Amino acid sequence: AYVLRRAGCDVTLIARGDNLRVLRADGLRITIGSEESIARIRVTDRPEEVGVVDYVFLTMKVPGWNSTVANMIQPLIGAHTTLLPPTTSIPYWWFHGMKGPLEGRRLERADPAGELWR
């Protein structure tokens, strides 16, 4: 978000709870090398205020993905929106489309209730 904002892109952060409060109050703090910067980036907990965007970066860990998040980001998604889900673990759909004994298997630990698989 910081680099995109510095490059002149229109960036909005979607946050909840304490993250929302801190980002609103203090901005996004980033340290690169020994240089610390604060970026004032628009932040909201209401994606419907933002509307359809070109890109959605999902920056939570895979266990944080659930139907609440999927429903929350719906107002951001249009016909040409790209979803970019950087992950820190194996995603629930790891075996999707894979041939062999694990074909179609869902990783239950990453999607315990099967909400994302549907």
Side-chain angles (χ1 to χ4, degrees), residues 34-98:
S34 61
E35 180 183 328
E36 184 173 290
S37 299
I38 297 175
R40 297 287 175 185
I41 298 175
R42 180 177 45 185
V43 62
T44 183
D45 59 349
R46 300 176 52 93
E48 63 274 11
E49 292 176 354
V50 179
V52 173
V53 297
D54 295 325
Y55 300 96
V56 175
F57 292 85
L58 299 169
T59 60
M60 76 288 284
K61 292 182 179 183
V62 170
W65 297 5
N66 57 38
S67 60
T68 302
V69 172
N71 291 332
M72 183 180 191
I73 66 171
Q74 285 300 312
L76 303 173
I77 301 171
H80 302 288
T81 301
T82 299
L83 296 177
L84 297 155
T87 62
T88 57
S89 59
I90 296 174
Y92 69 93
W93 46 262
W94 187 257
F95 298 113
H96 181 75
M98 185 180 287

